[in-house]
Amino acid sequence: MMPSRRRPGGRAGPSLWELASAFGLISLTGFGGGQRAQIRRQVVSRKHWITDQDFIEALEVAELLPGPNVLNLAVFIGQRLRGVPGAVVSLIAGSVPPFLLVLVAGAFYFSKFNTPLVRSALSGATAAAVGLTLANALELTAATRKRPLNLVIIAATVVSVTYFKLSLVLTLLIFGGLSMVVYAWSKRKTTMPTR
Amino acid sequence: MMETLVRLAIAFGTLSILGFGGGKGIIPQMHDDAVTQFHWVTSEQFAQFYTIGKLVPGPTTIFGALVGYRAAGYVGAAVAAAALFLPSSLLMMLAGAAWRRFSASSWKDVVSVGLAPVVIGLVWSSVFTVAKGTIQGPAAIAIALLITALTLRTALSAPLLIALGAAGGLAFLR
């Protein structure tokens, strides 16, 4: 067993094994947004590995950078606690179990058990997945509708990507760039008079 | 074979770096790569893999491993998953190392607020991408809209709602 590293607060940090079992368990039991609360409960409330303030900072970076939020969060916390080995172990623990599960589901999908009956169920499930994504789109749009420019950028993105097959790189560069420039400019304008 | 693996690595590695907003926005581009450009899967298979991704715990984008499997077997699945998660995790580690400088900068806010509407637009495009070719007929539309309403109005979990959709499929989509 790896010796626990002493942290400035005097509290011993978790071993790599403890990190692996914590994030491995979370990756196997959590779905979407619920996982964030689960990680917080584990690493802040129960094990006291990091403070609540540290968790909020970690979440901020995890959501800002590309990549699945929960995996980013695991990597960041693992690195905070045990350096690069901690980050690598957390990444493996957070991604390998879902990878194996999706392969099991895939093996079933491509097996002889994928009968017409299963295909009917899968068609219904796919319709449900579309429904989940549509609900997500509606919720996100409702949350951002206070900035009228956002609605324009949303509409421009949808049309360009769906009908004109604009690539993801160009979409982010053109509409993301435009949106960021306008936001940065409006922020500067509102903070200017205070200087 | 080797060529396919390299293509998988480049395509999914690019998606990894561009996966802002938790990776929600990469679905249309992944569909374009996997279905239109490289013909690794059909549009219907892509939508069904996406559904499996939502059903399995962990990040939804893990379903990319099934695209990789279709393209190049189990090695393809491993390459696809590694390409999807390693580059973004490396970025995260770099950010973690430079965190002190990073936390004070004001462009953080600009990036997250600025990119938000683009990611939302990409989520809308994902709806159309996945729906196209898979939602056929009034029964499928009804299931999709019912699940939309249930997601917005109740606290039922995603796997449960997908199971509900599957039951609907058994009843009405034969």
Side-chain angles (χ1 to χ4, degrees):
Chain A
M1 188 67 68
M2 302 284 290
S4 289
R5 184 194 281 177
R6 287 260 148 204
R7 296 201 298 127
R11 189 182 288 125
S15 68
L16 290 177
W17 172 248
E18 283 175 301
L19 271 181
S21 59
F23 287 122
L25 204 66
I26 289 166
S27 79
L28 275 177
T29 52
F31 294 90
Q35 272 183 306
R36 250 169 274 176
Q38 227 182 333
I39 293 181
R40 186 183 199 147
R41 201 157 47 236
Q42 280 285 327
V43 303
V44 180
S45 318
R46 286 193 50 200
K47 300 187 194 287
H48 304 288
W49 286 345
I50 60 172
T51 64
D52 213 26
Q53 185 56 42
D54 280 348
F55 181 83
I56 291 164
E57 281 178 359
L59 191 61
E60 201 186 13
V61 195
E63 289 180 345
L64 177 70
L65 293 188
N69 292 336
V70 169
L71 215 52
N72 280 354
L73 198 55
V75 167
F76 192 90
I77 293 171
Q79 187 172 16
R80 259 284 167 95
L81 294 169
R82 300 289 319 214
V84 173
V88 172
V89 162
S90 301
L91 170 63
I92 292 171
S95 58
V96 170
F99 172 70
L100 294 177
L101 278 179
V102 89
L103 282 191
V104 170
F108 181 81
Y109 179 90
F110 292 112
S111 75
K112 62 179 161 59
F113 298 108
N114 195 351
T115 59
L117 211 61
V118 174
R119 278 196 284 280
S120 297
L122 204 51
S123 297
T126 305
V130 170
L132 281 168
T133 314
L134 176 59
N136 192 219
L138 285 168
E139 271 174 338
L140 290 169
T141 307
T144 195
R145 69 173 192 279
K146 287 206 179 79
R147 297 185 69 225
L149 179 71
N150 279 356
L151 297 181
V152 176
I153 291 175
I154 292 170
T157 303
V158 176
V159 172
S160 309
V161 173
T162 311
Y163 296 100
F164 298 105
K165 302 287 171 209
L166 188 68
S167 74
L168 181 56
V169 190
L170 288 180
T171 305
L172 288 169
L173 280 177
I174 297 170
F175 298 117
L178 183 75
S179 172
M180 283 191 282
V181 166
V182 171
Y183 177 66
W185 184 69
S186 70
K187 218 171 68 156
R188 233 182 98 188
K189 223 172 57 173
T190 51
T191 52
M192 210 70 120
T194 60
R195 270 196 239 165
Chain B
M1 175 71 175
M2 200 56 214
E3 208 185 315
T4 308
L5 291 179
V6 172
R7 277 180 182 159
L8 270 173
I10 292 174
F12 284 17
T14 308
L15 292 174
S16 180
I17 296 293
L18 299 179
F20 291 97
K24 281 195 289 282
I26 66 174
I27 305 301
Q29 179 72 55
M30 202 202 272
H31 182 275
D32 204 50
D33 291 339
V35 178
T36 315
Q37 207 186 343
F38 296 120
H39 307 287
W40 289 323
V41 293
T42 66
S43 199
E44 192 186 9
Q45 279 174 332
F46 184 89
Q48 290 173 341
F49 290 171
Y50 174 74
T51 306
I52 292 173
K54 285 212 170 288
L55 202 54
V56 167
T60 301
T61 46
I62 189 68
F63 82 90
L66 293 178
V67 175
Y69 175 79
R70 264 321 257 174
Y74 285 109
V75 180
V79 167
L84 268 175
F85 294 147
L86 273 181
S88 57
S89 297
L90 271 175
L91 271 184
M92 198 64 201
M93 286 163 73
L94 290 175
W99 170 243
R100 292 293 164 212
R101 242 176 310 162
F102 197 68
S103 66
S105 64
S106 60
W107 60 264
K108 259 189 337 189
D109 194 33
V110 173
V111 173
S112 65
V113 178
L115 285 185
V118 183
V119 172
I120 298 170
L122 288 163
V123 174
W124 279 104
S125 289
S126 307
V127 175
F128 301 125
T129 303
V130 178
K132 205 178 120 196
T134 55
I135 302 250
Q136 283 150 344
I141 294 173
I143 291 173
L145 292 180
L146 178 69
I147 298 299
T148 307
L150 286 175
T151 310
L152 293 172
R153 298 274 171 232
T154 69
L156 297 174
S157 73
L160 197 72
L161 290 168
I162 288 177
L164 210 62
L170 281 176
F172 302 111
L173 294 175
R174 298 264 199 115

